[in-house]
Amino acid sequence: MKVLIRRCLMSLAVAGLAGAALPAGGVPADAAATAAQDEAGFPSYLAQVRARAVGEGVRPATVDAAFLGLTFNPRVVALDRQQPETAPNAPVSDFAPYRLRHVDAARIDRGRSTYQAQRGRLASVEAATGVPEQIMVAIWGHETNYGSYTGDFDLVRSLASLAYEGRRRSLFEGELIAALKMIDRGVISRERLVGSWAGATGNPQFLPSVYLRLARDGDGDGRADIWRSAPDTLASIGNYFVQAGWRPGEPWGVPVTVPAGFSRTAVANRLVSPRCPRVFQRHSGWRTMAEWRALGIVPERGSWPADEVQAVLIEPDGAGRTAYLLTGNYRVILDYNCSNFYALSVGLLADEIAR
């Protein structure tokens, strides 16, 4: 969906951090102390954004209406500054506790109900995209619990405040312009454009620029309504995965058992990824399914994918626990949210939904 920082920020926004706790009053003391100073230059900054937006084709009246009475929001800046910086050598926690929270009985049951209710639409999207029905539903379940919570921050105000703060201005100002284009094109009204503090919106939690590129009409009414239409939500998720490189007919991964005495050194990954290095450093090097089978890896259930399918090995809870062979389609899930725990949970939830 993208430059790396946009992926990372969306990950934070949709992983529950949008509602992170703050001290009493909602804004840390240091942020409150600088709020007045921040407010002083905010109108001048909005004037600059107005000029850029108009230059990119947004009608002046749309920008003026969107910015009318707009004030700086120190809370979203405080939330952004609270996001933890992960030390390169920090220990990695086990996957099991995360899985219990995110692939729980309630989410599975609701996913199965959603799956059955949308089978007609899902089948047509899968036929058009090659993305499995259950994967689309699992993404929806992880992003907003099937639409039960999509965020209530004023997106224009949040994006304007984060852009003005300046640390990631190029990212947030671009998203602010994209939000103004959505309003100008009649996609959604100014009042209804709400979402996470970091700018993600709708059932699939798309950033505005992602909406403009990838949102699709799934119910044939001529609009891509990712806020109220389940078919549009699922079609948009499917299109996202297509654009990210989903390979039809290939699973996301396979739960496996690793034999005692297995040499992890022999299959170690020697490369360093420029994107999400801590995520990819947990993966082995690539081998074919036939090669993994020859090394004694055994699937915990189901059958092997085709012999020529390439996969990497991950042991998210350490040796002796369930491991996973992950295909190229797993990398597509990581494109949505670059977190092994997230991507594994999406795959496992999808498997449970379709079971």
Side-chain angles (χ1 to χ4, degrees), residues 85 198 306:
E85 296 291 337

Side-chain angles (χ1 to χ4, degrees), residues 262 284-285 287-297 311 313 325:
F262 180 80
S284 74
R287 300 286 190 281
T288 65
M289 289 293 176
E291 289 173 318
W292 287 118
R293 187 168 61 248
L295 290 170
I297 303 295
L313 178 72
L325 290 179

Side-chain angles (χ1 to χ4, degrees), residues 31-330:
T34 60
Q37 179 180 348
D38 288 337
E39 288 272 10
F42 192 59
S44 296
Y45 174 67
L46 292 181
Q48 298 174 28
V49 175
R50 181 186 188 278
R52 176 182 168 185
V54 171
E56 293 190 21
V58 181
R59 289 173 294 178
T62 299
V63 185
D64 293 342
F67 286 174
L68 182 64
L70 197 67
T71 58
F72 178 77
N73 186 350
R75 175 171 167 76
V76 297
V77 172
L79 287 167
D80 186 40
R81 290 175 179 173
Q82 280 188 335
Q83 300 313 310
E85 296 291 337
T86 302
N89 297 318
V92 178
S93 59
D94 287 345
F95 172 54
Y98 184 97
R99 177 178 178 174
L100 287 173
R101 294 194 306 272
H102 292 84
V103 193
D104 58 303
R107 202 179 302 251
I108 292 169
D109 289 346
R110 191 167 182 185
R112 287 173 178 167
S113 297
T114 302
Y115 180 59
Q116 292 302 323
Q118 298 295 331
R119 284 307 301 275
R121 299 291 187 183
L122 284 164
S124 64
V125 176
E126 180 172 343
T129 64
V131 181
E133 303 169 40
Q134 62 269 24
I135 288 286
M136 292 180 275
V137 175
I139 288 288
W140 189 9
H142 273 278
E143 293 302 316
T144 57
N145 197 13
Y146 312 103
S148 64
Y149 183 73
T150 57
D152 57 6
F153 282 84
D154 176 344
L155 240 66
V156 170
R157 187 183 183 210
S158 293
L159 291 168
S161 299
L162 290 165
Y164 172 66
E165 188 263 352
R167 291 185 306 135
R168 291 186 263 266
R169 178 165 293 182
S170 62
L171 167 68
F172 288 118
E173 186 174 298
E175 295 302 333
L176 175 58
I177 299 295
L180 293 171
K181 290 177 180 179
M182 290 171 64
I183 297 168
D184 194 52
R185 296 172 188 178
V187 168
I188 189 170
S189 68
R190 168 74 176 81
E191 294 72 24
R192 287 188 54 231
L193 188 53
V194 297
S196 77
W197 63 263
T201 188
N203 289 306
Q205 289 291 275
F206 280 179
L207 290 173
S209 65
V210 177
Y211 175 90
L212 292 175
R213 289 192 300 110
L214 300 177
R216 291 294 181 269
D217 173 20
D219 55 18
D221 68 354
R223 301 179 63 245
D225 186 351
I226 63 171
W227 298 271
R228 295 183 293 192
S229 168
D232 292 2
T233 294
L234 296 165
S236 298
I237 293 171
N239 187 52
Y240 181 98
F241 272 53
V242 168
Q243 299 304 316
W246 186 270
R247 300 173 184 175
E250 190 173 288
W252 66 271
V254 183
V256 296
T257 299
V258 177
F262 180 80
S263 174
R264 291 158 181 85
T265 303
V267 298
N269 178 23
R270 311 298 179 187
L271 303 176
V272 177
S273 172
R275 180 173 80 90
C276 308
R278 277 175 60 86
V279 170
F280 290 102
Q281 74 182 10
R282 302 195 70 188
H283 301 181
S284 74
W286 292 92
R287 300 286 190 281
T288 65
M289 289 293 176
E291 289 173 318
W292 287 118
R293 187 168 61 248
L295 290 170
I297 303 295
V298 179
E300 287 195 348
R301 61 176 183 266
S303 58
W304 284 99
D307 282 355
E308 67 274 12
V309 172
Q310 296 270 337
V312 298
L313 178 72
I314 186 173
E315 297 176 276
D317 292 306
R321 307 287 294 278
T322 296
Y324 301 88
L325 290 179
L326 310 171
T327 73
N329 281 342
Y330 178 85

